[in-house]
Amino acid sequence: MLSPRQPMFRVLRTLPRLQHASRRWSSTEPPPAGGHSYTIGTSSLLKPTRDVALRTQGLQWVDPMDSDPSRDMLGRETRKMNMYQAIRDALSIALSKDDTAIVFGEDVAFGGVFRCTMGLAEEFGRERVFNTPLTEQGIAGFGIGYAAMGHTAIAEIQFADYIFPAFDQIVNEAAKYRFRSSGDFDAGKLTIRCPSMAVGHGGHYHSQSPEGFFMGAAGIKLVIPRSPIQAKGLLLSSIRDPNPVIFMEPKILYRSAVEQVPIDDYEIPLGKADVLRRGSDLTVVSWGTPIYTCESALELLAKPPQSISQHVPPSVRSARVELIDLRTIMPWDVETVVESVQRTGRLVVVHEAGRIGGVGAEIGAEIQKKCFLKLNAPVKLVTGWDMPVPMQYEKFYMPDNIRILDAMVETLTF
Amino acid sequence: MFRPARIPRLSQALVSRVSRVSHARGVAGTTPQLPQHALGSLPTSTSPITSKLHFFNSVMSGEKKIPTYRVIDGAGQPIEGAEVPEIDKALALKMYEHMVLLPIMDETLYNLQRQGRISFYITSFGEEAAVIGSGAALAPDDEVLAQYRESGALLFRGFTLDDIMNQCFGTYLDSSGKGKQMPAHYGSKKLHWHTISSPLATQIPQAAGVGYAIKRDPNRRGKNCAVVYFGEGAASEGDFHAGLALASTIPTPTLFIARNNGFAISTPSTEQFYGDGIASRGPGYGVHTIRVDGNDVLAVFAAVKEARRRCIDEGRAVLVETMTYRVGHHSTSDDSFAYRPRKEVEDRKRLDNPIVRFRLFLESRGWWSKEEETALVKRLRDEVNAAYKRAEKLPKPPVEEMFSEVYGGEMPWNLKEQREELKGLIKKYGQTWEPWKSELKKHKGEGKEFLE
């Protein structure tokens, strides 16, 4: 499987694939024992039935089945999918509805190291789903050129950790293509997908959450889904958005997040946050994997186990916490977050990336500006520490449920 | 050395695999057929195994260098064995007119920058033949991704002097980008000229993507190619490597034109690379390659015309390296005599002037005369002067234009807020704070969209 031409780092890059190869996991099987976080597999945020799946907030059908919008859900089907299958489904829809659409990147033709492009090359041909040489700046540049001709380019960067060689193409070129020609040319039909966030054992270069680095690149949109339904709808929106979009897929959710996903073509609008739990005492904002950690922390807050109960005053256990999935990092939904914090007076932002220069710092600054008179406690950031993601120390690095719990208690008791 | 007994059997199996591979590549036409060797070859290569210990190097003695293709000599006469490309009088004169126009326009804009009337400029002095010869060999709707020293080819396609001046002065009529970019960053969708950006070589892998779009478009496949210009300095960027690797492995009609003018700002090409120029890299990517005398407009024209034909017919990348000399400074922010002797430049201008060479050729055909030359130069000077005077009087775009086209679709909230913030500040200080007051007067509408 590993040819002698492949240098060592290529082996590292394919590590997750190799690890999972022996336990092919299909949506009909339960998550592997001990392999995934308890909270993801059993999360109440995932939609286990057709009815709840079809009633997903904000979901917009692309092809109406009935002229009467109130009957629009009738006849819609769903299928149990994990996140990589939902992404594959979105790519398949994008490819079948748009003849100009192509999917390309390193190792995508055989199905991708995370299986997101399984069978697409066979279904749509190698002209539309193909491997590129191992060059991230080349992949981004190629995609920009293809998109500049008005065609749909869906590029994959194998890990978000390896997007940095393409930073110049993304920030100086893709983001500015429209502005610099004042609309004559644009790279809006470019979408760059990349697996991101931690996976438990990814070390420095298979764990990063680089969204903060791109947040200031005016002209780019940044999207991070939390689940299969979200991934499909947000990806289809990203592909069709008139701007270049970086779509970061939390890789630990590829297999562990499973729900009933509508099989039809639908979109979930960009720039809109999703309020997952209503509350009036505290607002928690996050995106991607930590959404589930926040959910778990909320349970700890309400029912702390004996071992830590002395740190959770009874007064805060009944706190009503509003949980918001930001979904689009840029442009982020300031309206929803401000409206929430105006009501609750307290804000905790949770993300895996380090704190300095991170997305949380931006949100914190904006919220203190817009909600200054309503804030009852300082905005609290629960983030990775300001260091590379450390291999053997990940449990102490990540914003886990105990750290989120502690931040919520601190904020509620300030 | 230990040699396990199963090796011969294994290598036999490998040989049969390799012959399949080389057959497939033979169809593509990039790899010459290699002589079958008794020792076979490795599974991942078509290279025959040899028992000779020999190192290859394209610059050391004993190895062949890539020759430079030339058609006419300094006196405008065909060199021995050269075939003058088919070119009619009208096309030859159009090319010549643009070769004369380019330095006149450059000199004017260069001087305008020296006088502080525009902020920046980049001339093409010495590269007139390379730029216009190649530009003339393209179809008017081939997609061009340029670096910045190719304005002659853009003029040849129909970009007007007014378009040039409006971009350099950043007027509200700037068709390239509404005054958003530095001077000399031209673009035109109508003329299939992708808007120029400053970061070097970024356009090279983009061209491979453009080529792929052309290949996938039934209306353009077999008719057009993507053309990318870059200097020999830019070819040191990683994007050059990426672009050639992409265009060769994902075959696309992409035409790479390197302008090797000897300098990247102050860095001579001897400090840019140690190999046999840029051309030597083409074969490394399996790309048809030619080196051409960039001061011989007929050689450039013939080479690029044939390169374009192969590019489109075979749907594969082609690389052309034009050898020239950057007679002018790098830009208006550069004094090149700080790193090269003035005499060297003067000598190059005198001994090998691409415009004079072509003029002598035209005269030898009876297509051009001294009188026509005098009249042409006067007419072009007048046109250039009239165009810059028109542009210089025009206001800049409305200030509000600054916020447009950052994003497609709806403007995000942060930009809406910031536009309102600036509006408030202009209302507050626009008539009293002198730097803003005088600046507002230069813009169309004088900022009234913010003052209302």
Side-chain angles (χ1 to χ4, degrees):
Chain A
M1 165 147 253
L2 301 172
S3 85
R5 283 164 74 213
Q6 284 184 312
M8 206 48 210
F9 70 90
R10 293 290 296 154
V11 179
L12 266 177
R13 281 176 175 210
T14 53
L15 196 60
R17 167 160 64 95
L18 297 176
Q19 281 186 334
H20 291 298
S22 60
R23 42 171 181 163
R24 290 234 169 149
W25 190 81
S26 79
S27 58
T28 53
E29 292 167 26
H36 305 306
S37 161
Y38 162 82
T39 52
I40 297 168
T42 57
S43 170
S44 65
L45 302 175
L46 295 165
K47 322 264 186 199
T49 67
R50 173 184 176 275
D51 273 9
V52 277
L54 291 177
R55 262 186 263 113
T56 298
Q57 182 76 24
L59 182 148
Q60 294 169 357
W61 302 108
V62 171
D63 306 305
M65 287 186 85
D66 197 296
S67 52
D68 178 3
S70 66
R71 293 163 47 83
D72 207 28
M73 266 161 53
L74 292 177
R76 300 282 181 189
E77 289 307 319
T78 61
R79 194 183 305 140
K80 196 172 178 185
M81 296 186 204
N82 63 27
M83 203 169 83
Y84 82 64
Q85 291 164 331
I87 286 162
R88 191 239 175 254
D89 193 38
L91 293 174
S92 174
I93 288 172
L95 284 162
S96 39
K97 288 204 166 178
D98 175 358
D99 281 340
T100 72
I102 55 170
V103 170
F104 57 98
E106 296 159 13
D107 306 300
V108 302
F110 90 106
V113 300
F114 288 108
R115 299 285 188 263
C116 293
T117 53
M118 281 287 277
L120 292 177
E122 290 76 9
E123 193 178 341
F124 296 98
R126 286 294 278 260
E127 189 191 295
R128 300 186 63 196
V129 182
F130 53 90
N131 292 336
T132 64
L134 215 162
T135 166
E136 284 78 12
Q137 64 199 94
I139 291 168
F142 185 93
I144 292 167
Y146 191 76
M149 297 292 290
H151 293 199
T152 301
I154 309 166
E156 177 179 305
I157 299 292
Q158 202 161 77
F159 286 83
D161 311 68
Y162 304 124
I163 204 167
F164 300 110
F167 203 73
D168 183 41
Q169 284 287 355
I170 294 170
V171 175
N172 276 330
E173 295 291 321
K176 298 172 176 55
Y177 220 93
R178 179 189 296 274
F179 188 70
R180 74 184 184 212
S181 66
S182 209
D184 220 0
F185 292 94
D186 66 80
K189 293 205 159 190
L190 171 68
T191 304
I192 300 177
R193 297 176 38 244
C194 52
S196 74
M197 298 193 171
V199 69
H201 50 267
H204 297 356
Y205 309 112
H206 300 80
S207 308
Q208 292 179 60
S209 303
E211 59 266 22
F213 288 109
F214 294 98
M215 201 178 188
I220 290 276
K221 289 189 178 178
L222 284 169
V223 178
I224 304 179
R226 69 163 188 279
S227 75
I229 292 176
Q230 298 289 317
K232 179 176 170 181
L234 289 167
L235 180 55
L236 282 167
S237 287
S238 299
I239 290 168
R240 292 157 180 170
D241 190 88
N243 297 284
V245 179
I246 302 180
F247 192 81
M248 295 184 176
E249 300 160 4
K251 66 177 93 67
I252 203 165
L253 305 181
Y254 275 139
R255 291 155 190 276
S256 57
V258 180
E259 55 191 357
Q260 287 289 334
V261 178
I263 56 170
D264 290 330
D265 185 355
Y266 68 89
E267 295 176 7
I268 291 176
L270 305 188
K272 292 262 183 292
D274 195 12
V275 182
L276 301 175
R277 292 255 168 99
R278 286 279 165 194
S280 50
D281 300 320
L282 167 67
T283 303
V284 174
V285 172
S286 192
W287 51 92
T289 318
I291 284 289
Y292 300 97
T293 327
C294 291
E295 188 195 16
S296 157
L298 290 180
E299 278 172 37
L300 285 185
L301 182 73
K303 289 176 232 136
Q306 186 66 42
S307 56
I308 56 165
S309 61
Q310 80 263 35
H311 302 296
V312 186
S315 59
V316 302
R317 295 180 195 181
S318 58
R320 279 170 299 173
V321 179
E322 184 144 312
L323 178 59
I324 298 178
D325 178 3
L326 204 56
R327 299 196 291 198
T328 302
I329 308 305
M330 191 61 212
W332 63 284
D333 186 353
V334 72
E335 205 179 317
T336 297
V337 180
V338 165
E339 188 277 325
S340 174
V341 178
Q342 297 281 21
R343 275 188 287 108
T344 63
R346 292 176 159 87
L347 174 65
V348 171
V349 184
V350 184
H351 61 67
E352 287 191 7
R355 182 169 307 168
I356 300 287
V359 176
E362 179 58 40
I363 295 173
E366 197 63 35
I367 291 303
Q368 73 80 26
K369 185 178 98 185
K370 291 196 158 79
C371 307
F372 185 70
L373 294 174
K374 299 280 180 147
L375 280 173
N376 299 319
V379 174
K380 188 110 180 155
L381 307 185
V382 186
T383 69
W385 309 119
D386 290 324
M387 64 180 68
V389 181
M391 180 71 195
Q392 302 297 347
Y393 312 87
E394 202 178 291
K395 282 270 185 296
F396 299 103
Y397 171 89
M398 283 300 151
D400 65 352
N401 42 10
I402 195 74
R403 283 183 56 199
I404 298 168
L405 167 76
D406 190 69
M408 291 193 294
V409 172
E410 292 267 313
T411 304
L412 285 164
T413 56
F414 183 82
Chain B
M1 197 184 284
F2 173 71
R3 296 176 65 178
R6 62 187 162 83
I7 284 287
R9 207 150 41 89
L10 180 66
S11 64
Q12 280 236 292
L14 297 180
V15 168
S16 68
R17 257 182 77 184
V18 167
S19 64
R20 273 211 315 279
V21 171
S22 60
H23 173 71
R25 301 207 65 187
V27 174
T30 54
T31 309
Q33 285 296 316
L34 293 163
Q36 281 299 314
H37 195 285
L39 296 173
S41 52
L42 295 171
T44 54
S45 157
T46 52
S47 158
I49 285 171
T50 176
S51 53
K52 275 212 175 101
L53 180 66
H54 175 73
F55 291 86
F56 289 84
N57 185 320
S58 65
V59 285
M60 305 302 274
S61 60
E63 308 290 351
K64 276 174 78 179
K65 288 199 182 179
I66 296 173
T68 304
Y69 169 64
R70 172 182 282 178
V71 173
I72 54 169
D73 62 17
Q77 295 303 310
I79 66 166
E80 199 190 331
E83 197 181 311
V84 176
E86 242 179 71
I87 184 165
D88 62 24
K89 185 181 170 186
L91 178 60
L93 291 185
K94 185 182 175 191
M95 286 162 69
Y96 182 68
E97 181 174 327
H98 281 88
M99 286 174 71
V100 174
L101 166 63
L102 188 53
I104 290 174
M105 181 189 84
D106 278 353
E107 196 186 352
T108 303
L109 281 157
Y110 182 83
N111 289 333
L112 287 169
Q113 194 283 334
R114 296 284 94 168
Q115 294 159 17
R117 291 153 83 177
I118 60 172
S119 59
F120 177 79
Y121 193 64
I122 279 198
T123 66
S124 306
F125 295 131
E127 297 180 54
E128 295 86 358
V131 168
I132 289 159
S134 58
L138 305 174
D141 56 348
D142 287 339
E143 300 289 327
V144 178
L145 293 91
Q147 180 167 303
Y148 49 55
R149 216 183 290 285
E150 298 90 359
S151 49
L154 180 57
L155 286 164
F156 192 89
R157 304 199 140 198
F159 208 63
T160 66
L161 284 168
D162 285 323
D163 292 328
I164 295 269
M165 297 301 169
N166 281 316
Q167 199 281 334
C168 288
F169 282 95
T171 76
Y172 79 97
L173 293 179
D174 169 22
S175 60
S176 298
K178 292 262 166 61
K180 283 170 176 169
Q181 283 209 90
M182 284 174 77
H185 290 56
Y186 312 114
S188 167
K189 183 125 182 158
K190 192 180 74 188
L191 298 174
H192 302 272
W193 192 276
H194 291 242
T195 309
I196 290 163
S197 71
S198 306
L200 284 180
T202 47
Q203 76 279 17
I204 303 176
Q206 289 170 12
V210 170
Y212 200 65
I214 290 172
K215 185 180 170 175
R216 294 214 60 237
D217 183 346
N219 296 319
R220 304 193 69 180
R221 186 189 307 142
K223 294 190 190 117
N224 288 120
C225 63
V227 184
V228 57
Y229 284 97
F230 50 95
E232 91 286 350
S236 296
E237 295 281 2
D239 276 330
F240 167 84
H241 172 76
L244 264 89
L246 283 158
S248 58
T249 58
I250 306 162
T252 56
T254 308
L255 176 52
F256 295 84
I257 304 179
R259 293 177 297 94
N260 186 342
N261 63 17
F263 289 93
I265 306 188
S266 77
T267 307
S269 56
T270 51
E271 293 170 26
Q272 201 66 246
F273 50 74
Y274 189 65
D276 182 14
I278 308 307
S280 69
R281 301 176 196 173
Y285 292 100
V287 164
H288 294 310
T289 301
I290 189 168
R291 173 175 287 149
V292 55
D293 179 352
N295 282 5
D296 175 352
V297 71
L298 292 176
V300 174
F301 178 75
V304 172
K305 204 164 180 199
E306 173 60 13
R308 180 180 182 276
R309 188 195 65 76
R310 284 171 181 250
C311 201
I312 291 172
D313 285 359
E314 297 178 23
R316 297 198 70 94
V318 181
L319 170 64
V320 179
E321 182 183 24
T322 60
M323 307 301 292
T324 61
Y325 186 82
R326 197 194 75 212
V327 172
H329 302 301
H330 163 71
S331 73
T332 48
S333 310
D334 172 50
D335 172 14
S336 68
F337 301 129
Y339 50 81
R340 62 180 184 183
R342 190 181 286 264
K343 188 173 178 310
E344 178 187 312
V345 178
E346 292 306 322
D347 284 352
R348 289 296 293 254
K349 275 205 267 197
R350 201 179 64 247
L351 294 174
D352 188 10
N353 185 309
I355 302 173
V356 172
R357 260 166 95 171
F358 194 39
R359 187 195 307 151
L360 292 171
F361 169 82
L362 295 175
E363 285 174 359
S364 74
R365 291 235 164 159
W367 288 353
W368 198 245
S369 67
K370 294 235 154 31
E371 297 72 46
E372 284 168 303
E373 174 78 12
T374 314
L376 176 68
V377 170
K378 186 185 176 314
R379 173 168 67 83
L380 294 177
R381 285 226 165 93
D382 290 347
E383 285 178 13
V384 168
N385 286 336
Y388 95 71
K389 281 173 186 158
R390 274 194 296 274
E392 197 171 26
K393 288 196 203 93
L394 293 176
K396 298 179 184 183
V399 180
E400 196 184 36
E401 193 67 55
M402 174 168 77
F403 287 90
S404 72
E405 306 294 352
V406 181
Y407 288 87
E410 199 197 339
M411 182 183 280
W413 62 269
N414 55 313
L415 280 175
K416 283 184 194 157
E417 280 189 12
Q418 288 162 25
R419 188 176 56 188
E420 287 309 300
E421 194 174 334
L422 179 63
K423 192 173 177 176
L425 287 162
I426 286 177
K427 264 189 190 155
K428 197 166 166 188
Y429 298 108
Q431 300 306 314
T432 48
W433 176 242
E434 195 49 48
W436 282 12
K437 192 179 170 187
S438 56
E439 195 64 24
L440 280 174
K441 290 204 182 98
K442 298 178 193 164
H443 288 266
K444 197 169 186 342
E446 301 186 10
K448 73 169 186 309
E449 72 275 22
F450 282 171
L451 293 166
E452 277 162 5

